[in-house]
Amino acid sequence: MKILLKFFVILLLIVLVGCNKSNIIEPDSLNDEALIRLIESEEAIQNFDENFDDGDATGFFVGKSFGNIYPIRVGRRVTGIQRTFSREIIGDSAKVQVTTEYNGFLIIAGKFSPFSPGDTTIRPDTIITKPFREIVKRNVTFKRISSRFDNNKAWKLQAISLPEGSTTIRNIKITKVELMLPGRVPLIITSPLDTYFFIGDPIRDLPQRKKDETVSIKVYITSNSPEEDFVTITYGKKLGNQWPKIKRKLELVSSAQVGDNWEKIYQGNWNIFVTHPFGRFHSVINAVTNETIYTIQGQVSSFTWGIPYKVN
């Protein structure tokens, strides 16, 4: 009887130790170094970073103001990028939320006097820089493809969600994006972090675009201002001295007050130009408040989504 009791005690200890080990995320189980390497090796994610950072102010020649600045060029200069990870590993699958913190300056080059919209001969007489800090989140899933003890080869990036982010000051929010192509089913997005594309999957891979193709885009916004905000889409990629990278301002087509806020729709074209390189890329859709762009004192309030795509 005593021998049988000892046997059950030993067996219970083995089971408990085994259960405890199964809850431990070992160093080779998608540590930060492995995650950074896997995530940044995906061209589309890398291109999001590139397109989030304008490097300098880009020409828009707005020619109108709702405050005290008439913007000529507007852009973000990123000075620091930091990523952190929240991971959940179950067997041979892993879901990771990637949080990226972008720090930098919003640059507004403009004039204090009006000029004709679109007049490209105008030169700014003042440059305003506003510090910003924007947090962007994205979900990424992975599959284990080999021995768990080979950290360099054990995991493969499986799918990426769309990104969503904002500054600490949140006076504007993107609520929906619609992409429309003639003869194709519209892509309608309402929840970026729940919208996934599966890398290399023949059906669920990144949306495919063709050169010399025009996509109609609508961006739905909730804003605390009745005035026109500053909504843009950035896409493409800078290659060497070439500039097949476009930042395009979308036009306000609808605005209605709902309670204390305004529901607005901005619309424009997303042109895949003939010189667009082949590969995997990532657009950046950014909405910035009227006060941020058109006044000196307005702090940066920004909201960002993005859509990856491929050009074959």
Side-chain angles (χ1 to χ4, degrees):
M1 187 68 179
K2 287 183 179 180
I3 295 174
L4 187 61
L5 181 61
K6 286 182 180 179
F7 173 77
F8 280 116
V9 169
I10 293 170
L11 182 62
L12 180 61
L13 288 172
I14 291 172
V15 171
L16 289 173
V17 170
C19 290
N20 287 336
K21 282 186 176 181
S22 68
N23 292 329
I24 296 174
I25 296 177
E26 299 177 7
D28 65 305
S29 299
L30 278 179
N31 59 30
D32 285 3
E33 182 181 351
L35 282 171
I36 290 172
R37 185 190 67 254
L38 287 166
I39 289 169
E40 294 186 353
S41 66
E42 168 54 43
E43 291 177 287
I45 295 178
Q46 189 178 66
N47 188 232
F48 179 89
D49 287 344
E50 295 168 347
N51 285 338
F52 189 89
D53 181 11
D54 299 312
D56 206 340
T58 302
F60 288 99
F61 304 94
V62 178
K64 59 183 176 181
S65 178
F66 305 94
N68 46 30
I69 303 172
Y70 293 83
I72 297 174
R73 297 197 301 270
V74 178
R76 281 181 299 214
R77 179 182 298 155
V78 174
T79 57
I81 299 176
Q82 183 175 353
R83 298 194 208 280
T84 55
F85 308 99
S86 173
R87 56 182 73 75
E88 179 184 7
I89 300 175
I90 302 175
D92 290 335
S93 298
K95 180 180 179 181
V96 179
Q97 182 163 93
V98 184
T99 301
T100 305
E101 178 181 325
Y102 298 92
N103 287 279
F105 296 91
L106 178 69
I107 304 168
I108 305 166
K111 297 175 70 67
F112 290 111
S113 57
F115 59 90
S116 299
D119 186 349
T120 58
T121 65
I122 297 296
R123 296 292 177 265
D125 55 27
T126 187
I127 296 177
I128 298 165
T129 58
K130 299 182 178 185
F132 76 86
R133 174 178 174 266
E134 187 155 347
I135 305 295
V136 178
K137 295 182 182 293
R138 182 200 297 274
N139 293 326
V140 183
T141 65
F142 297 87
K143 292 291 289 184
R144 196 193 302 272
I145 58 173
S146 64
S147 169
R148 65 185 301 179
F149 300 107
D150 186 347
N151 196 37
N152 293 318
K153 299 179 180 178
W155 295 91
K156 178 182 179 181
L157 192 150
Q158 180 189 40
I160 60 175
S161 78
L162 302 189
E164 179 179 40
S166 72
T167 53
T168 305
I169 302 172
R170 297 181 65 173
N171 293 328
I172 194 167
K173 183 178 181 180
I174 300 173
T175 59
K176 183 168 72 170
V177 169
E178 294 179 353
L179 297 181
M180 288 153 285
L181 273 168
R184 299 193 201 175
V185 177
L187 175 61
I188 300 175
I189 300 160
T190 57
S191 180
L193 294 177
D194 295 316
T195 303
Y196 287 85
F197 294 110
F198 288 75
I199 306 303
D201 186 279
I203 298 175
R204 299 178 295 171
D205 199 357
L206 308 185
Q208 182 172 322
R209 301 288 177 253
K210 298 178 181 178
K211 290 193 176 189
D212 203 22
E213 181 178 71
T214 298
V215 181
S216 176
I217 179 170
K218 284 185 179 180
V219 179
Y220 294 72
I221 300 289
T222 297
S223 171
N224 73 338
S225 171
E227 306 293 351
E228 182 178 348
D229 302 298
F230 196 78
V231 181
T232 59
I233 179 170
T234 306
Y235 59 95
K237 183 181 179 71
K238 180 183 176 184
L239 297 173
N241 294 323
Q242 300 177 356
W243 287 88
K245 174 179 172 178
I246 301 295
K247 189 179 183 76
R248 179 160 291 169
K249 182 176 177 292
L250 305 182
E251 299 302 322
L252 177 65
V253 296
S254 174
S255 180
Q257 186 172 4
V258 179
D260 294 332
N261 293 314
W262 280 261
E263 306 289 342
K264 305 174 186 177
I265 302 174
Y266 291 83
Q267 185 172 327
N269 289 331
W270 173 0
N271 302 93
I272 306 300
F273 37 87
V274 175
T275 57
H276 195 300
F278 294 111
R280 306 168 73 84
F281 306 93
H282 210 305
S283 67
V284 176
I285 300 168
N286 184 238
V288 183
T289 59
N290 176 280
E291 184 182 22
T292 299
I293 299 296
Y294 296 103
T295 69
I296 296 175
Q297 69 275 12
Q299 293 179 290
V300 178
S301 179
S302 167
F303 208 91
T304 300
W305 284 13
I307 301 175
Y309 65 100
K310 62 181 179 179
V311 178
N312 293 335

